[in-house]
Amino acid sequence: MEENQNLEQVQEEQVEEVAADDVTLETAEEVTEEVQEDAEVAKLAETEAKAAEYLDRWQRLMAEFDNYRKRSEKEKADSYDYAVSNTVAEMLPIIDNFERALKVESTDTALFAGVEMIYKQMMGLFEKLHVTPIEAVGKEFDPNLHNAIMHIDDETLGENIVAEELQKGYLYKEKVIRHSLVKVAN
């Protein structure tokens, strides 16, 4: 509204200047039309500037929202992975005990078969959760996967080759849950 008053005031001043210079009425009307066109062009430019500013704000807001959504999804996935890996880590001693029980010879075949079925079921569950045992025996020692607790001299094995696995290690989606405890040949 204030802009309109200023515009009208400028128009009146220009008309008065034209009248003061003894310009004909037709010239004054032409000047008034030019002033009005200039005002409309200025108003259009101002409107376009505001539109560009609003578009920029909207684009930035959309980018921020997209980043927030991606970050939230990643945090949710990380939280799930953390919970699964901690739960599996707590279950590993149970798996170790099942493996020890399966190594012991037993005359009670029904008990042995039951323990074996539970062990297979647990390993199937681990497979569904993307938990895999770390391959160790016969592989080259990798400190990212293995924890060497003994070194032995064995001429039949090459240098830094895992000779024996004392405790199985496990991975969850390429992340080590527990390192394999191994004997390494030099």
Side-chain angles (χ1 to χ4, degrees):
M1 183 163 181
E2 190 174 302
E3 292 177 8
N4 290 338
Q5 290 175 348
N6 289 340
L7 183 61
E8 290 174 7
Q9 192 176 22
V10 168
Q11 289 175 348
E12 289 175 11
E13 290 173 2
Q14 289 178 346
V15 169
E16 289 173 7
E17 288 177 9
V18 170
D21 292 336
D22 291 330
V23 178
T24 64
L25 186 58
E26 290 177 11
T27 310
E29 288 175 357
E30 290 174 4
V31 169
T32 304
E33 287 176 10
E34 287 179 19
V35 169
Q36 286 176 344
E37 287 176 9
D38 289 345
E40 288 175 4
V41 168
K43 196 171 188 179
L44 181 62
E46 182 182 328
T47 304
E48 287 176 351
K50 280 186 178 181
E53 180 185 341
Y54 291 146
L55 177 63
D56 183 55
R57 282 185 186 175
W58 179 77
Q59 287 173 336
R60 289 177 189 272
L61 185 62
M62 291 303 294
E64 285 179 24
F65 179 73
D66 192 43
N67 290 340
Y68 168 75
R69 183 182 50 78
K70 288 176 184 176
R71 187 174 52 249
S72 294
E73 288 174 3
K74 184 178 181 337
E75 287 173 357
K76 189 184 337 179
D78 289 346
S79 176
Y80 175 79
D81 288 347
Y82 179 76
V84 169
S85 64
N86 281 346
T87 303
V88 168
E90 292 293 322
M91 295 174 68
L92 290 180
I94 298 168
I95 294 295
D96 293 339
N97 288 335
F98 274 112
E99 288 174 349
R100 287 184 198 104
L102 291 172
K103 287 181 182 176
V104 174
E105 290 186 29
S106 174
T107 56
D108 190 355
T109 56
L111 177 65
F112 183 81
V115 170
E116 188 175 40
M117 286 187 337
I118 294 170
Y119 174 75
K120 286 180 180 179
Q121 190 175 18
M122 291 286 287
M123 294 310 289
L125 174 65
F126 277 13
E127 192 174 307
K128 285 180 185 176
L129 293 173
H130 305 286
V131 176
T132 56
I134 297 172
E135 298 295 323
V137 177
K139 305 284 183 183
E140 186 172 343
F141 175 76
D142 181 358
N144 296 321
L145 302 175
H146 309 120
N147 187 5
I149 58 172
M150 295 178 75
H151 292 278
I152 60 170
D153 290 326
D154 190 343
E155 307 258 337
T156 61
L157 296 173
E159 190 170 325
N160 281 335
I161 300 296
V162 175
E164 183 181 347
E165 182 178 53
L166 302 173
Q167 185 179 41
K168 222 181 243 188
Y170 291 90
L171 295 171
Y172 172 66
K173 293 184 179 179
E174 307 301 321
K175 177 186 169 198
V176 175
I177 296 175
R178 180 173 76 184
H179 291 81
S180 296
L181 298 180
V182 296
K183 287 183 186 178
V184 180
N186 287 339

